[in-house]
């Protein structure tokens, strides 16, 4: 066993490893006011960020699951390391030489630990990289060259070559002081018929790294026709440090750009990742011998800062329309859990990104990403191509097949919008009929038709109350929380809301029809600056609501407590308004991005640059609103 690490060295490790920088390698953090940063917790799944970091104190805490501590505790918890292993990793990160009590700086790390397995993989990656330069690896170098990758690209991705000898890596690592049991545990070696042998032979290799940048496994590509293993790719088997469902090839290189651009491009293979990065798309990653799944989503959400107020982009690329259609269906299913906007990009002619770059150069690869199409739209349009929309029979059948697809969208407002778009794609003139069919298929409320006296319950029926109109929104819907809170502020504290609310909140801020009707009713009586307050304001607003359901909502919001630790103040109300405006700006950004998607940057460069400039300005404005809102709502 190694000695105990000297306390002064531990203190130095804590001091030199800024907690926000270390955590920032795993989680996208943003300002949360008062010297605090906030992000999505890496220790449990959450949709809204409750994970807080205080750089000045060197601590973190999640208000959702209760995890907390210093930078060493974070590394221990996230990577399941012992205290000593976490300190050693952080010391390596900043170049601190550790001294062990009862030994010296050269005391050997405990055998078989995670740190030892990582050390073995690091040594293996160096060995394989050296082998790529040997005459025996000429075929591997030729493979890379034929696909447009030079020596610099191979070095950047640390490509390597597994030599032909049965146990050359095994002997190399044994000579470096590793034990055979460790090599078996790390999946670098395995038991052969006549003794230990290497896991890979005569293959081109890519090291697979975790988010921290440590090599935890390898992907190996078949390059020789006489290779007895027919599988084109082999990957490291599951081990204490290699969990393929949590790993994405290239993420160590892409993570900063993913967090900065709020975008990730998911491709299918290692060479596709290389091609994307070399072509100027530094947000590309690929799965490691498994399908893109829920655990991958959890990893990416933390980097994208994916929550109810901000949405990043996840772009899947596929080589072929049929593959793209199937993948779009899968991506859409994931999108119901993944709040990010999901897109599909299919290369022409069934080419993958690597082939596209070989055939046409870097710009078409960038254009492939620029022309991405929303996954749900891709899926629906792919279905519509199967029908003859020039005939009445074809349109009816197309609707019959497509309506259930749209009905699967859980976001009600988004579902209605796609229902309207579907009517246009099919050429169905009666838009409300399509919207109603989608709502009915989804199990929701049908589109309103004409006013009537259809009571929602016997009590209302006995009173002969007109109950048509928008349904009441759910009280605890997180997507509508700010809209509800702002309306409560307008009704309960008009003297505070007046300076902010009347002139700053556009009708587009209210996405639920009941909230929108109440908002317009308040404007009709003169707004929060009308001089009315208390019961008088509630009565006046109710009289201007055409539907009983919304009149009921007025009284409900007039008495429902506001979600503030103390009595609401002007700062809190101002933050609510800023958050509402941020939502409107986010919609404008989405519209701009949609327009950019439809533009060809090569054929329409001026329009593309103009829209892109507008997009940058709106993003900055949205960021400013977010910072303004965060202080009062934290």
């Amino acid at each position: 066993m190694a000695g105990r690490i000297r306390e002064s060295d531990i203190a130095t490790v804590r001091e030199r490893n800024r907690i926000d920088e270390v955590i920032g390698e795993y989680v996208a953090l943003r300002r949360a006011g008062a010297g605090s940063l906030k992000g999505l917790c890496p220790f449990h799944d959450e949709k809204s960020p409750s994970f807080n970091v205080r750089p000045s104190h060197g601590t973190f805490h999640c208000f959702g699951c209760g995890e907390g501590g210093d930078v060493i505790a974070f590394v221990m918890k996230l990577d399941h390391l012992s205290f000593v292993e976490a300190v050693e990793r952080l010391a390596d990160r900043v170049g601190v030489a550790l001294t062990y009590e009862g030994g010296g700086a050269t005391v050997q790390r405990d055998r078989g630990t995670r740190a030892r397995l990582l050390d073995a993989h690091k040594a293996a990656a160096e060995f394989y990289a050296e082998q790529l330069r040997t005459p025996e690896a000429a075929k591997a170098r030729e493979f890379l060259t034929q696909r447009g990758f030079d020596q610099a690209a191979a070095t950047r991705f640390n490509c390597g070559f597994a030599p032909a000898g049965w146990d050359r890596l095994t002997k190399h690592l044994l000579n470096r002081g590793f034990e055979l049991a460790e090599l078996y545990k790390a999946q670098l070696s395995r038991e052969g018929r006549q003794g230990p042998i290497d896991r890979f032979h005569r293959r081109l290799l890519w090291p697979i790294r975790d988010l921290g940048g440590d090599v935890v496994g390898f992907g190996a590509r078949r390059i020789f026709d006489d290779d007895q293993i027919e599988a084109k790719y082999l990957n490291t088997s599951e081990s204490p440090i290699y969990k393929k469902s949590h790993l994405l090839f290239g993420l160590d290189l892409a993570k900063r750009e993913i967090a900065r651009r709020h975008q990730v491009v998911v491709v299918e293979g290692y060479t596709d990742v290389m091609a994307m990065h070399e072509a100027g798309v530094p947000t590309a990653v690929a799965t490691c011998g498994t399908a893109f799944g829920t655990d991958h989503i959890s990893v990416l959400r933390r980097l994208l800062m994916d929550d109810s107020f901000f949405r990043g982009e996840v772009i899947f690329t596929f080589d072929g329309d049929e593959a793209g259609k199937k993948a779009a269906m899968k991506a859409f299913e994931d999108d119901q859990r993944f709040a990010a906007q999901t897109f599909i990009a299919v290369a022409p002619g069934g080419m993958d990104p690597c082939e596209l770059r070989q055939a046409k150069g870097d710009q078409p690869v960038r254009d492939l990403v620029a022309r991405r199409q929303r996954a749900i739209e891709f899926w629906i349009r792919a279905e519509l191509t199967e029908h003859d929309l020039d005939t009445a029979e074809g349109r009816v059948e197309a609707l019959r097949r497509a309506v259930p697809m749209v009905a699967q969208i859980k976001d009600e407002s988004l579902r209605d919008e796609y229902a309207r778009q579907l009517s246009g794609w099919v050429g169905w003139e009666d838009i409300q009929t399509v919207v109603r069919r989608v709502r009915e298929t989804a199990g929701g409320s049908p589109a309103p038709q004409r006013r009537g006296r259809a009571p929602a319950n016997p009590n209302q029926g006995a009173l002969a109350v007109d109950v048509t109109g928008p349904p009441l929104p759910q009280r605890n819907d997180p997507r509508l929380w700010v809209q509800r809170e702002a309306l409560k502020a307008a009704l309960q504290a008009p003297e505070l809301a007046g300076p902010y609310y009347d002139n700053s909140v556009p009708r587009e801020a209210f996405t639920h029809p009941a909230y929108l009707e109440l908002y317009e009713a308040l404007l009709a009586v003169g707004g929060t600056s009308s001089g009315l307050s208390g019961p008088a304001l509630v009565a006046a607003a109710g009289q201007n609501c055409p539907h009983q359901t919304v009149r009921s909502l007025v009284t409900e919001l007039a008495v429902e407590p506001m979600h503030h630790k103390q009595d609401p103040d002007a700062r809190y109300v101002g933050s609510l308004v800023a958050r509402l405006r941020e939502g409107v700006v986010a919609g404008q950004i989405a519209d701009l991005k949609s327009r950019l998607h439809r533009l060809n940057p090569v054929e329409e460069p001026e329009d593309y640059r103009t829209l892109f400039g507008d997009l940058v300005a709106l993003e900055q404005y949205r960021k400013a609103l977010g910072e303004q809102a965060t202080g009062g709502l934290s």
Side-chain angles (χ1 to χ4, degrees):
M1 294 287 291
R4 207 159 59 94
I5 301 174
R6 193 166 57 186
E7 288 296 331
S8 59
D9 287 352
I10 296 173
T12 301
V13 167
R14 284 198 183 98
E15 179 183 344
R16 295 192 186 179
N17 283 276
R18 284 181 54 93
I19 193 167
D20 54 323
E21 293 178 354
V22 173
I23 294 179
E25 294 181 357
Y26 301 86
V27 179
L29 298 172
R30 67 182 182 192
R31 291 176 58 188
S36 181
L37 301 171
K38 182 178 287 188
L40 293 174
C41 181
F43 302 114
H44 80 288
D45 289 331
E46 60 178 1
K47 292 185 177 180
S48 297
S50 58
F51 181 82
N52 287 256
V53 179
R54 294 292 297 273
S56 59
H57 295 177
T59 58
F60 74 92
H61 180 80
C62 177
F63 290 94
C65 67
E67 292 284 4
D70 62 7
V71 67
I72 298 174
F74 176 82
V75 174
M76 287 175 63
K77 296 172 189 292
L78 190 69
D79 291 324
H80 306 288
L81 304 178
S82 67
F83 179 83
V84 171
E85 288 176 317
V87 173
E88 288 174 339
R89 172 179 281 200
L90 290 169
D92 291 342
R93 182 178 179 273
V94 294
V96 173
L98 299 176
T99 301
Y100 299 80
E101 295 177 355
T106 59
V107 171
Q108 203 170 44
R109 296 180 179 181
D110 293 352
R111 298 187 181 280
T113 62
R114 176 184 173 88
R116 288 279 294 180
L117 302 187
L118 292 175
D119 286 345
H121 273 83
K122 180 180 178 181
E126 293 170 350
F127 171 82
Y128 286 139
E130 291 175 0
Q131 294 300 311
L132 186 60
R133 295 190 287 269
T134 64
E136 184 185 358
K139 186 79 171 178
R141 295 193 299 273
E142 180 184 340
F143 177 92
L144 292 171
T145 301
Q146 289 176 346
R147 283 154 182 76
F149 304 121
D150 56 17
Q151 179 60 47
T155 300
R156 182 183 182 192
F157 286 89
N158 205 209
C159 296
F161 176 73
W166 285 110
D167 57 358
R168 288 173 62 180
L169 173 68
T170 301
K171 287 180 177 178
H172 174 79
L173 294 177
L174 291 175
N175 290 333
R176 292 281 297 270
F178 295 97
E179 295 182 349
L180 194 57
E182 292 177 312
L183 303 186
Y184 287 157
K185 188 176 182 180
Q187 298 295 322
L188 291 168
S189 304
R190 61 186 179 87
E191 188 68 46
R193 285 177 292 187
Q194 298 181 351
I197 60 174
D198 299 342
R199 176 68 61 174
F200 304 110
H201 304 93
R202 304 175 71 219
R203 290 204 168 213
L204 174 63
L205 297 177
W206 288 269
I208 298 170
R209 301 175 185 271
D210 61 14
L211 257 180
D214 290 317
V215 180
V216 294
F218 295 91
R221 214 285 188 183
R222 187 177 192 264
I223 54 176
F224 291 102
D225 293 337
D226 61 348
D227 190 333
Q228 295 181 3
I229 300 178
E230 293 292 333
K232 182 183 292 187
Y233 283 96
L234 294 175
N235 287 83
T236 296
S237 300
E238 294 281 302
S239 78
I241 61 173
Y242 185 86
K243 308 294 182 185
K244 62 184 179 181
S245 63
H246 293 75
L247 294 167
L248 290 163
F249 174 71
L251 190 58
D252 58 303
L253 296 176
K255 61 184 179 183
R256 294 190 186 280
E257 285 299 312
I258 290 172
R260 187 176 73 84
R261 302 187 184 199
H262 311 297
Q263 178 194 84
V264 60
V265 179
V266 182
V267 298
E268 292 190 297
Y270 304 129
T271 56
D272 292 332
V273 173
M274 293 180 69
M276 282 284 185
H277 282 253
E278 293 299 303
V281 185
T283 57
V285 298
T287 57
C288 304
T290 186
F292 186 87
T294 305
D295 292 328
H296 297 124
I297 288 175
S298 298
V299 173
L300 291 177
R301 284 186 72 247
R302 298 197 296 268
L303 293 175
L304 289 168
M305 181 58 88
D306 173 46
D307 58 27
S308 56
F309 295 122
F310 177 75
R311 296 187 170 197
E313 292 185 353
V314 183
I315 304 167
F316 294 89
T317 66
F318 300 99
D319 51 353
D321 289 341
E322 189 58 35
K325 181 179 177 180
K326 293 178 180 178
M329 295 170 65
K330 174 70 166 60
F332 170 69
E333 292 169 359
D334 289 335
D335 192 46
Q336 300 292 294
R337 301 187 302 274
F338 202 3
Q341 299 177 68
T342 305
F343 296 82
I344 298 293
V346 177
M351 291 187 288
D352 59 36
C354 182
E355 293 169 337
L356 180 62
R357 180 171 178 262
Q358 285 177 261
K360 300 186 178 181
D362 292 343
Q363 185 61 49
V365 176
R366 294 193 292 270
D367 292 346
L368 172 65
V369 176
R371 294 170 184 156
R372 59 200 177 276
Q373 189 175 15
R374 293 183 184 277
I376 178 61
E377 181 178 343
F378 182 96
W379 184 29
I380 295 170
R381 282 183 175 272
E383 174 60 40
L384 296 183
T385 60
E386 303 295 322
H387 306 279
D388 183 2
L389 301 182
D390 292 331
T391 67
E393 293 81 3
R395 289 192 293 272
V396 169
E397 181 62 18
L399 276 181
R400 190 183 71 79
R401 296 294 298 273
V403 162
M405 299 166 72
V406 179
Q408 292 184 46
I409 302 174
K410 294 182 179 179
D411 186 316
E412 292 181 7
S413 58
L414 187 62
R415 187 171 65 217
D416 284 357
E417 176 58 29
Y418 270 105
R420 286 186 282 270
Q421 289 196 34
L422 174 61
S423 67
W425 294 336
V426 174
W428 199 271
E429 293 184 2
D430 188 352
I431 297 175
Q432 286 305 312
T433 295
V434 178
V435 174
R436 184 173 66 253
R437 288 182 61 184
V438 167
R439 288 182 177 181
E440 291 170 346
T441 303
S445 302
Q449 299 179 48
R450 62 178 183 271
R451 295 172 64 87
R453 295 182 181 275
N457 59 55
N459 293 330
Q460 288 179 320
L463 296 173
V465 175
D466 179 4
V467 295
T468 61
L472 286 177
Q474 293 184 358
R475 293 183 183 181
N476 59 352
D477 189 335
R479 300 166 300 177
L480 304 174
W481 178 85
V482 175
Q483 298 175 39
R484 189 180 187 91
E485 196 75 355
L487 288 171
K488 284 193 289 185
L491 288 168
Q492 297 178 26
E495 70 283 358
L496 295 177
Y500 306 99
Y501 183 87
D502 291 342
N503 299 321
S504 300
V505 181
R507 71 188 309 276
E508 293 80 13
F510 296 94
T511 58
H512 193 284
Y515 288 153
L516 176 59
E517 184 172 312
L518 175 49
Y519 163 79
E520 292 178 333
L522 281 170
L523 290 184
V525 302
T528 54
S529 302
S530 64
L532 298 174
S533 62
L537 178 60
V538 172
Q543 290 171 4
N544 279 275
C545 294
H547 298 109
Q548 174 59 29
T549 53
V550 183
R551 290 196 289 273
S552 174
L553 180 64
V554 175
T555 56
E556 181 180 332
L557 297 186
V559 300
E560 184 176 293
M562 298 182 69
H563 294 283
H564 196 55
K565 296 178 182 178
Q566 305 169 350
D567 290 335
D569 54 17
R571 182 166 177 260
Y572 180 66
V573 177
S575 295
L576 289 172
V577 171
R579 186 64 85 196
L580 279 174
R581 291 164 63 195
E582 183 189 10
V584 174
V585 173
Q588 294 170 343
I589 288 172
D591 289 341
L592 266 183
K593 287 183 176 179
S594 179
R595 292 168 62 190
L596 277 172
H597 299 160
R598 297 192 294 271
L599 283 178
N600 186 325
V602 177
E603 298 173 359
E604 305 165 283
E606 290 298 326
D607 291 344
Y608 190 87
R609 281 196 293 270
T610 299
L611 283 181
F612 189 79
D614 293 343
L615 177 62
V616 171
L618 276 178
E619 288 278 17
Q620 292 174 343
Y621 182 44
R622 185 204 63 79
K623 181 179 179 182
L625 288 173
E627 292 174 352
Q628 179 183 344
T630 299
L633 297 180
S634 61

